[in-house]
Amino acid sequence: MTDTPRLPDGYDLTTDPRRIDRDRVHHWLATDAYWAVGRLREKQDRALDGSLNFGVHDAASGEQVAYARVVTDRATFAWLCDVYVDPSVRGKGIGTALVAAVCEHLRQYGLRRVALATHDAHGLYEKCGFRPLERPGEWMALVLE
């Protein structure tokens, strides 16, 4: 990727977990994100506490408008998940810029790969360099729920 997408003017990115609006993130994910509908607040809080968290805020109001989290050992592997952009700001490039910023942040760890799963946002992630697995037959999952 030659041009890293940037947040539109008037929006700021944070990795400070104290600035994440836990109530808003839980509401978004538990009510509107197909992969997390019905997720309990206690489970969401544990997920935030064990992850790198990224928030996008409207600089004028301070209101959080987007979120992403990463589960990682900060050495070899990371999983990007729970990427969500508030419907009121979709279409402004915030999601693409958020994912690009997450990927840029992760470069400092020298990870071998960053994985994710998506049903419907392949185009967004491809803009940031993600590609389908070359050898999906080598990957497996244990589904516990």
Side-chain angles (χ1 to χ4, degrees), residues 71-79 106 108-115 139:
V71 180
T72 183
D73 60 9
R74 293 180 175 90
T76 62
F77 181 80
W79 174 44
L106 294 175
Q108 69 182 307
Y109 301 120
L111 304 172
R112 181 174 175 141
R113 69 179 44 98
V114 178
W139 291 78

PDB file of all heavy atoms in Angstrom, residues 71-79 106 108-115 139:
ATOM      1  N   VAL A  71      -6.341  -8.531  19.339  1.00  0.00           N
ATOM      2  CA  VAL A  71      -5.840  -9.521  20.277  1.00  0.00           C
ATOM      3  C   VAL A  71      -4.473  -9.939  19.749  1.00  0.00           C
ATOM      4  O   VAL A  71      -4.360 -10.374  18.594  1.00  0.00           O
ATOM      5  CB  VAL A  71      -6.782 -10.741  20.361  1.00  0.00           C
ATOM      6  CG1 VAL A  71      -6.244 -11.758  21.348  1.00  0.00           C
ATOM      7  CG2 VAL A  71      -8.193 -10.304  20.727  1.00  0.00           C
ATOM      8  N   THR A  72      -3.434  -9.791  20.585  1.00  0.00           N
ATOM      9  CA  THR A  72      -2.082 -10.072  20.098  1.00  0.00           C
ATOM     10  C   THR A  72      -1.132 -10.441  21.225  1.00  0.00           C
ATOM     11  O   THR A  72      -1.343 -10.038  22.378  1.00  0.00           O
ATOM     12  CB  THR A  72      -1.511  -8.852  19.336  1.00  0.00           C
ATOM     13  OG1 THR A  72      -0.216  -9.187  18.816  1.00  0.00           O
ATOM     14  CG2 THR A  72      -1.399  -7.621  20.220  1.00  0.00           C
ATOM     15  N   ASP A  73      -0.074 -11.167  20.866  1.00  0.00           N
ATOM     16  CA  ASP A  73       1.018 -11.427  21.808  1.00  0.00           C
ATOM     17  C   ASP A  73       2.123 -10.372  21.659  1.00  0.00           C
ATOM     18  O   ASP A  73       3.114 -10.405  22.352  1.00  0.00           O
ATOM     19  CB  ASP A  73       1.588 -12.830  21.618  1.00  0.00           C
ATOM     20  CG  ASP A  73       2.144 -13.085  20.227  1.00  0.00           C
ATOM     21  OD1 ASP A  73       2.252 -12.134  19.418  1.00  0.00           O
ATOM     22  OD2 ASP A  73       2.470 -14.242  19.933  1.00  0.00           O
ATOM     23  N   ARG A  74       1.933  -9.448  20.714  1.00  0.00           N
ATOM     24  CA  ARG A  74       2.878  -8.366  20.418  1.00  0.00           C
ATOM     25  C   ARG A  74       4.248  -8.889  19.986  1.00  0.00           C
ATOM     26  O   ARG A  74       5.250  -8.197  20.122  1.00  0.00           O
ATOM     27  CB  ARG A  74       3.028  -7.423  21.613  1.00  0.00           C
ATOM     28  CG  ARG A  74       1.792  -6.628  21.930  1.00  0.00           C
ATOM     29  CD  ARG A  74       2.032  -5.724  23.141  1.00  0.00           C
ATOM     30  NE  ARG A  74       0.933  -4.850  23.432  1.00  0.00           N
ATOM     31  CZ  ARG A  74      -0.078  -5.146  24.238  1.00  0.00           C
ATOM     32  NH1 ARG A  74      -0.136  -6.321  24.827  1.00  0.00           N
ATOM     33  NH2 ARG A  74      -1.027  -4.262  24.449  1.00  0.00           N
ATOM     34  N   ALA A  75       4.260 -10.109  19.460  1.00  0.00           N
ATOM     35  CA  ALA A  75       5.528 -10.687  19.015  1.00  0.00           C
ATOM     36  C   ALA A  75       5.406 -11.411  17.680  1.00  0.00           C
ATOM     37  O   ALA A  75       6.239 -11.226  16.799  1.00  0.00           O
ATOM     38  CB  ALA A  75       6.080 -11.649  20.071  1.00  0.00           C
ATOM     39  N   THR A  76       4.357 -12.235  17.526  1.00  0.00           N
ATOM     40  CA  THR A  76       4.280 -13.056  16.321  1.00  0.00           C
ATOM     41  C   THR A  76       2.950 -12.983  15.583  1.00  0.00           C
ATOM     42  O   THR A  76       2.894 -13.261  14.389  1.00  0.00           O
ATOM     43  CB  THR A  76       4.540 -14.540  16.662  1.00  0.00           C
ATOM     44  OG1 THR A  76       3.528 -14.994  17.563  1.00  0.00           O
ATOM     45  CG2 THR A  76       5.922 -14.730  17.276  1.00  0.00           C
ATOM     46  N   PHE A  77       1.862 -12.638  16.285  1.00  0.00           N
ATOM     47  CA  PHE A  77       0.546 -12.779  15.678  1.00  0.00           C
ATOM     48  C   PHE A  77      -0.432 -11.771  16.270  1.00  0.00           C
ATOM     49  O   PHE A  77      -0.341 -11.417  17.440  1.00  0.00           O
ATOM     50  CB  PHE A  77       0.006 -14.196  15.939  1.00  0.00           C
ATOM     51  CG  PHE A  77      -1.344 -14.467  15.344  1.00  0.00           C
ATOM     52  CD1 PHE A  77      -1.466 -14.785  13.999  1.00  0.00           C
ATOM     53  CD2 PHE A  77      -2.491 -14.391  16.114  1.00  0.00           C
ATOM     54  CE1 PHE A  77      -2.718 -15.040  13.438  1.00  0.00           C
ATOM     55  CE2 PHE A  77      -3.742 -14.646  15.573  1.00  0.00           C
ATOM     56  CZ  PHE A  77      -3.846 -14.965  14.224  1.00  0.00           C
ATOM     57  N   ALA A  78      -1.375 -11.345  15.448  1.00  0.00           N
ATOM     58  CA  ALA A  78      -2.464 -10.481  15.926  1.00  0.00           C
ATOM     59  C   ALA A  78      -3.746 -10.844  15.191  1.00  0.00           C
ATOM     60  O   ALA A  78      -3.721 -11.287  14.043  1.00  0.00           O
ATOM     61  CB  ALA A  78      -2.134  -9.007  15.697  1.00  0.00           C
ATOM     62  N   TRP A  79      -4.847 -10.636  15.869  1.00  0.00           N
ATOM     63  CA  TRP A  79      -6.177 -10.837  15.298  1.00  0.00           C
ATOM     64  C   TRP A  79      -6.922  -9.520  15.427  1.00  0.00           C
ATOM     65  O   TRP A  79      -7.142  -9.024  16.532  1.00  0.00           O
ATOM     66  CB  TRP A  79      -6.904 -11.956  16.029  1.00  0.00           C
ATOM     67  CG  TRP A  79      -8.335 -12.138  15.618  1.00  0.00           C
ATOM     68  CD1 TRP A  79      -8.841 -12.148  14.345  1.00  0.00           C
ATOM     69  CD2 TRP A  79      -9.456 -12.339  16.478  1.00  0.00           C
ATOM     70  NE1 TRP A  79     -10.205 -12.344  14.364  1.00  0.00           N
ATOM     71  CE2 TRP A  79     -10.602 -12.462  15.673  1.00  0.00           C
ATOM     72  CE3 TRP A  79      -9.589 -12.436  17.859  1.00  0.00           C
ATOM     73  CZ2 TRP A  79     -11.862 -12.674  16.203  1.00  0.00           C
ATOM     74  CZ3 TRP A  79     -10.853 -12.649  18.382  1.00  0.00           C
ATOM     75  CH2 TRP A  79     -11.974 -12.768  17.550  1.00  0.00           C
ATOM     76  N   LEU A 106       0.581  -1.766  14.505  1.00  0.00           N
ATOM     77  CA  LEU A 106       1.056  -3.135  14.739  1.00  0.00           C
ATOM     78  C   LEU A 106       2.441  -3.395  14.142  1.00  0.00           C
ATOM     79  O   LEU A 106       3.143  -4.304  14.580  1.00  0.00           O
ATOM     80  CB  LEU A 106       0.051  -4.143  14.194  1.00  0.00           C
ATOM     81  CG  LEU A 106      -1.297  -4.175  14.915  1.00  0.00           C
ATOM     82  CD1 LEU A 106      -2.252  -5.122  14.208  1.00  0.00           C
ATOM     83  CD2 LEU A 106      -1.128  -4.555  16.387  1.00  0.00           C
ATOM     84  N   GLN A 108       5.174  -1.964  14.575  1.00  0.00           N
ATOM     85  CA  GLN A 108       6.244  -1.822  15.553  1.00  0.00           C
ATOM     86  C   GLN A 108       6.591  -3.128  16.262  1.00  0.00           C
ATOM     87  O   GLN A 108       7.675  -3.274  16.806  1.00  0.00           O
ATOM     88  CB  GLN A 108       5.874  -0.762  16.598  1.00  0.00           C
ATOM     89  CG  GLN A 108       4.749  -1.176  17.520  1.00  0.00           C
ATOM     90  CD  GLN A 108       4.358  -0.106  18.501  1.00  0.00           C
ATOM     91  OE1 GLN A 108       5.208   0.423  19.207  1.00  0.00           O
ATOM     92  NE2 GLN A 108       3.070   0.250  18.512  1.00  0.00           N
ATOM     93  N   TYR A 109       5.684  -4.090  16.248  1.00  0.00           N
ATOM     94  CA  TYR A 109       5.915  -5.344  16.948  1.00  0.00           C
ATOM     95  C   TYR A 109       6.635  -6.398  16.091  1.00  0.00           C
ATOM     96  O   TYR A 109       7.025  -7.435  16.608  1.00  0.00           O
ATOM     97  CB  TYR A 109       4.590  -5.920  17.459  1.00  0.00           C
ATOM     98  CG  TYR A 109       3.865  -4.986  18.394  1.00  0.00           C
ATOM     99  CD1 TYR A 109       2.592  -4.529  18.085  1.00  0.00           C
ATOM    100  CD2 TYR A 109       4.453  -4.549  19.578  1.00  0.00           C
ATOM    101  CE1 TYR A 109       1.917  -3.665  18.936  1.00  0.00           C
ATOM    102  CE2 TYR A 109       3.787  -3.676  20.425  1.00  0.00           C
ATOM    103  CZ  TYR A 109       2.529  -3.243  20.099  1.00  0.00           C
ATOM    104  OH  TYR A 109       1.864  -2.387  20.942  1.00  0.00           O
ATOM    105  N   GLY A 110       6.784  -6.160  14.803  1.00  0.00           N
ATOM    106  CA  GLY A 110       7.433  -7.131  13.938  1.00  0.00           C
ATOM    107  C   GLY A 110       6.658  -8.421  13.795  1.00  0.00           C
ATOM    108  O   GLY A 110       7.243  -9.500  13.669  1.00  0.00           O
ATOM    109  N   LEU A 111       5.332  -8.325  13.790  1.00  0.00           N
ATOM    110  CA  LEU A 111       4.478  -9.508  13.687  1.00  0.00           C
ATOM    111  C   LEU A 111       4.643 -10.192  12.336  1.00  0.00           C
ATOM    112  O   LEU A 111       4.914  -9.547  11.330  1.00  0.00           O
ATOM    113  CB  LEU A 111       3.007  -9.104  13.844  1.00  0.00           C
ATOM    114  CG  LEU A 111       2.641  -8.348  15.119  1.00  0.00           C
ATOM    115  CD1 LEU A 111       1.207  -7.848  15.026  1.00  0.00           C
ATOM    116  CD2 LEU A 111       2.839  -9.214  16.341  1.00  0.00           C
ATOM    117  N   ARG A 112       4.436 -11.474  12.324  1.00  0.00           N
ATOM    118  CA  ARG A 112       4.462 -12.206  11.066  1.00  0.00           C
ATOM    119  C   ARG A 112       3.168 -12.036  10.284  1.00  0.00           C
ATOM    120  O   ARG A 112       3.168 -11.922   9.071  1.00  0.00           O
ATOM    121  CB  ARG A 112       4.712 -13.691  11.335  1.00  0.00           C
ATOM    122  CG  ARG A 112       4.772 -14.488  10.064  1.00  0.00           C
ATOM    123  CD  ARG A 112       5.169 -15.905  10.316  1.00  0.00           C
ATOM    124  NE  ARG A 112       5.088 -16.602   9.041  1.00  0.00           N
ATOM    125  CZ  ARG A 112       5.938 -17.506   8.647  1.00  0.00           C
ATOM    126  NH1 ARG A 112       6.931 -17.837   9.411  1.00  0.00           N
ATOM    127  NH2 ARG A 112       5.777 -18.080   7.494  1.00  0.00           N
ATOM    128  N   ARG A 113       2.029 -11.995  10.999  1.00  0.00           N
ATOM    129  CA  ARG A 113       0.752 -11.825  10.307  1.00  0.00           C
ATOM    130  C   ARG A 113      -0.301 -11.248  11.235  1.00  0.00           C
ATOM    131  O   ARG A 113      -0.224 -11.394  12.442  1.00  0.00           O
ATOM    132  CB  ARG A 113       0.262 -13.123   9.685  1.00  0.00           C
ATOM    133  CG  ARG A 113      -0.165 -14.203  10.618  1.00  0.00           C
ATOM    134  CD  ARG A 113      -0.662 -15.470   9.897  1.00  0.00           C
ATOM    135  NE  ARG A 113       0.134 -15.885   8.808  1.00  0.00           N
ATOM    136  CZ  ARG A 113       1.074 -16.833   8.851  1.00  0.00           C
ATOM    137  NH1 ARG A 113       1.304 -17.476   9.979  1.00  0.00           N
ATOM    138  NH2 ARG A 113       1.750 -17.150   7.789  1.00  0.00           N
ATOM    139  N   VAL A 114      -1.271 -10.632  10.584  1.00  0.00           N
ATOM    140  CA  VAL A 114      -2.473 -10.128  11.250  1.00  0.00           C
ATOM    141  C   VAL A 114      -3.647 -10.797  10.547  1.00  0.00           C
ATOM    142  O   VAL A 114      -3.767 -10.719   9.324  1.00  0.00           O
ATOM    143  CB  VAL A 114      -2.596  -8.592  11.140  1.00  0.00           C
ATOM    144  CG1 VAL A 114      -3.891  -8.109  11.792  1.00  0.00           C
ATOM    145  CG2 VAL A 114      -1.377  -7.906  11.753  1.00  0.00           C
ATOM    146  N   ALA A 115      -4.483 -11.446  11.311  1.00  0.00           N
ATOM    147  CA  ALA A 115      -5.636 -12.151  10.750  1.00  0.00           C
ATOM    148  C   ALA A 115      -6.926 -11.416  11.110  1.00  0.00           C
ATOM    149  O   ALA A 115      -6.960 -10.612  12.043  1.00  0.00           O
ATOM    150  CB  ALA A 115      -5.684 -13.583  11.291  1.00  0.00           C
ATOM    151  N   TRP A 139      -5.389 -23.718   7.895  1.00  0.00           N
ATOM    152  CA  TRP A 139      -5.972 -23.052   9.058  1.00  0.00           C
ATOM    153  C   TRP A 139      -7.126 -23.877   9.598  1.00  0.00           C
ATOM    154  O   TRP A 139      -7.915 -24.441   8.838  1.00  0.00           O
ATOM    155  CB  TRP A 139      -6.456 -21.655   8.675  1.00  0.00           C
ATOM    156  CG  TRP A 139      -5.339 -20.727   8.382  1.00  0.00           C
ATOM    157  CD1 TRP A 139      -4.601 -20.664   7.245  1.00  0.00           C
ATOM    158  CD2 TRP A 139      -4.810 -19.736   9.246  1.00  0.00           C
ATOM    159  NE1 TRP A 139      -3.644 -19.683   7.351  1.00  0.00           N
ATOM    160  CE2 TRP A 139      -3.753 -19.086   8.579  1.00  0.00           C
ATOM    161  CE3 TRP A 139      -5.136 -19.307  10.531  1.00  0.00           C
ATOM    162  CZ2 TRP A 139      -3.017 -18.064   9.138  1.00  0.00           C
ATOM    163  CZ3 TRP A 139      -4.412 -18.278  11.091  1.00  0.00           C
ATOM    164  CH2 TRP A 139      -3.357 -17.671  10.398  1.00  0.00           C
TER     165      TRP A 139
END
